[in-house]
Amino acid sequence: MQIEQAFDGLAPNRRTLLKSAAFGLFAFKVAGADMLLSPAEARARRAALSKLSAEDAARLEAFGEALVPGARAAGLAHFVDANLARPHGESLLTVRYLDVLPPHHTFYKAGLAALDAASRAVLGGPFEGVSAAAARPLIAAMLPGTIAPWTGPPPALFYLAVRSDAADLVYGTRAAFARMQVPYMAHIEPATDW
Amino acid sequence: MKLPERTDAVIVGAGAAGNLYAAVLAESGKSVLVLDPGPAWKSADLISSSIWSRRLRWGGPAIESTGRHAFGAGFNTGWGTGGAALHHYGTWPRLMPSDFTMKADFGKGLDWPISYDDLRPFYDRIQEEVGLSGDAEAEVWRPAGAPYPLPPLQQFAQARLLARGFHALDMKTAPSPMAILSQDYKGRPACLYDGWCDAGCPTGALANPLVTFHPRAVKAGARFLNGAHVTQLVPGKTARTAAGVEYIDSTGTRRTALADMVILAASTIANPAILLGSTGGDWSQGAGNSSGLVGRYFMTHSIASVYGFFDGEETENYMGVTGAQATNMDHYGKESLGGGAFGSLQWQLAPTMKPNDLLGVAMARADLFGPELTAFMDRAVHHLAVMFGFGEGLPLLENRVELSDRTGPGGVKTPRVVHTFAPESVKVSQSAAQLGLKIITAGGAAQPWAGPMATAHMMGGTIMGSEARTSVTDSFGRSHDIDNLIIAGPGLFPTAGAMNPNFTNHALALRGAEHAAARWLS
Ligand SMILES: Cc1cc2nc3c(=O)[nH]c(=O)nc-3n(C[C@H](O)[C@H](O)[C@H](O)COP(=O)(O)OP(=O)(O)OC[C@H]3O[C@@H](n4cnc5c(N)ncnc54)[C@H](O)[C@@H]3O)c2cc1C
Ligand code: SF4
């Protein structure tokens, strides 16, 4: 029996990633053209989303912004969407640490739908339409799991996942370290943001 | 290039134990093939970014985790060359003699088939080989053993501030024993204290497999095949032999690697999962499972995290190493916490915190959001301090790795981890949180709080013992049931102690590998 050599079998994927995500960039489509962009640039250029609908994205941005101010402009929805489009092994989302079973886009979509339904029931309108101040009690009930009505993934898990994604973009970048006067001290510098 | 048709040894998993076995066996002249489903990571891949570092975690088929205290599988598993040890933190205390005799001493848990003294020479040799930094004398709790080859790592303000509380309560602290170089050592450079260890240390200061046993294995001729997900053991001519392993390669093709000896080093979760999924030939209950204990006695450590602010001081919490700067083991005695708690406690003080990520500053108060989070971050990045109390989880039969209903590569069932701490173990963590609050307050911290109980490290599931009826392997990791099968990794531990497992993992693997090389197939 002959066994074929398959050394470095994952290398092609890895190289693609080194070219893109390692530099804080993802492949997005803008007006039909493929581009490597940061999540913030992708948002500014209204790049197409591949896993989330426009409605999901607006809701995710509103939720992320309420959790971690600055997340919307940092391109939270595009960051999440681009990672959801990757194979599980290449995702950079914290949800990977939280033992949420893939596919992860259903986790985000179901969480956003549950949040919206709760918002409509309690606050009388879609989540992205209510002010951050009005949404506070609803959001505060997620981590303790007392939010009602709720039909989706465990609310605490969904809260933690989105809060961490947002914190990555707002606090995990070199610019954020500099803003907070925390030395970055990289051994191997990420070429752009992180 | 072709792989050999057959090798002396096939090793499943290119992590900590797998690389050590590969080095020892290849150096003894055996032909060795190592299979791993993840990428062939190189030091140059270890970019300093918490976001980037997510890719170093398990990227294969999802592991389900359930139970009242579900184990954090996604965070605690690695993949690819180096395994979890590629991005582990290098905190390397030895187990204590009392960890080996818990059942004999207290009638609880299990006993090891060996004592601390059997393992001691292997601890001593490993620390010399990989370069441990510490202060053996200051560690008044430390069992007998050679002093560390290197002086302790440098400490920063966070460690000094936290130590104040311990000293105020007449408790001791000592520099943490770390597999990180305080000085240049054997061609590897000293640590720079930037705290990027969680993203993987690319300089070689931290003893990850890429700079310890992997180069030795490669130099001695071991072959590494990445993108190779092992699905099961292939039965040999009799129920007591394995012919090799089946794996799915990176093209999705099912292949077989034949070998005289099979070494399972695919982690505490994957080892039992592979055995349970190996139902060919006479192995109807799974390979090596005549005891019915494969997957059983899965253990983890509880973590009590205690935080506080030192507002007048710059805590430099971004400096140091991700593991710990100092330790205290005053409550390592199994019953020393009282109040119904049973099990050891180990404190680790002042790990580096980056602003984001699971162990980062923002997660320290997961309940805060909006403007309150912004205000918290402004204060915390310069004034927060943290210490972790690692608590022992007792070995319980019902805590287990089993097969789920989901399937992965080759249609093989994927693992599920079921875990609930014993009530005495929960009390260890609760007492640790209370004690920690007292300590940090005594040190002058403002507004201290304790985070929710978390889990770290994985042990058990393929425990060693002296009898085939009550354990899966002997003390060298040899299967009681299959003559040419060896199991490696912290899955062998019959008790977890409260110590980070990788030093003991290495000591056991060295003992097992040398034994295998010396008495090949006899
Ligand atoms: C974030 C983190 C920090 C840690 N810090 C410390 C610390 O400070 N001190 C300490 O003592 N310990 C620490 N640990 C634990 C330590 O890393 C582990 O105990 C150690 O790596 C276990 O060694 P192992 O060989 O059993 O598994 P690993 O090193 O994880 O290697 C297992 C390998 O098996 C491969 N594998 C899995 N499934 C298959 C399959 N089906 N086929 C083939 N190969 C497979 C994996 O890809 C992986 O490469 C830490 C762990 C983590 C995750
Ligand atoms: S702090 Fe030290 S051990 Fe950690 S990554 Fe930097 S040099 Fe390596």
Side-chain angles (χ1 to χ4, degrees), chain B residues 418-441:
Chain B
V418 184
H419 181 264
T420 299
F421 281 117
E424 306 88 308
S425 310
V426 174
K427 287 203 173 124
V428 169
S429 197
Q430 288 168 342
S431 305
Q434 292 308 317
L435 177 63
L437 289 171
K438 228 167 100 183
I439 293 168
I440 206 166
T441 306

Side-chain angles (χ1 to χ4, degrees), chain A residues 187, chain B residues 180 190-197 200-203 205-206 320-322:
Chain A
H187 289 298
Chain B
I180 296 179
C191 176
L192 297 173
Y193 304 106
D194 45 80
W196 280 116
C197 328
C201 174
T203 70
L206 192 151
V321 294
T322 317

Side-chain angles (χ1 to χ4, degrees), chain A residues 56-153:
Chain A
D56 292 333
R59 210 160 280 157
L60 180 58
E61 285 187 347
F63 184 37
E65 183 68 21
L67 293 173
V68 185
R72 177 182 279 129
L76 174 67
H78 284 86
F79 173 72
V80 171
D81 185 74
N83 277 295
L84 292 176
R86 293 180 171 281
H88 174 66
E90 295 181 10
S91 166
L92 303 176
L93 298 174
T94 312
V95 75
R96 212 172 145 161
Y97 287 174
L98 300 178
D99 296 323
V100 173
L101 293 176
H104 288 156
H105 65 270
T106 58
F107 171 80
Y108 280 90
K109 281 172 131 2
L112 290 167
L115 180 64
D116 190 54
S119 171
R120 286 173 197 271
V122 178
L123 305 173
F127 185 84
E128 61 276 22
V130 298
S131 71
R136 277 199 78 77
L138 200 67
I139 297 174
M142 291 181 78
L143 193 59
T146 53
I147 185 170
W150 184 268
T151 40

Side-chain angles (χ1 to χ4, degrees), chain B residues 11-68:
Chain B
I11 298 178
V12 184
N19 274 294
L20 193 154
Y21 262 90
V24 171
L25 295 184
E27 284 167 358
S28 77
K30 307 292 177 212
S31 58
V32 173
L33 173 65
V34 187
L35 304 173
D36 197 292
W41 299 116
K42 303 275 184 286
S43 292
D45 294 330
L46 304 176
I47 290 169
S48 304
S49 154
S50 305
I51 305 172
W52 164 260
S53 76
R54 314 256 157 81
R55 287 180 41 75
L56 305 177
R57 301 311 209 272
W58 177 245
I63 298 166
E64 279 184 53
S65 191
T66 177
R68 190 135 19 102

Side-chain angles (χ1 to χ4, degrees), chain B residues 13 15-17 36-37 75 79-80 83-85 88-91 230 266 270 490 500-502 505:
Chain B
D36 197 292
F75 188 73
W79 92 314
H88 91 301
Y89 304 162
T91 310
V230 171
N500 318 52
N502 211 14
N505 177 30

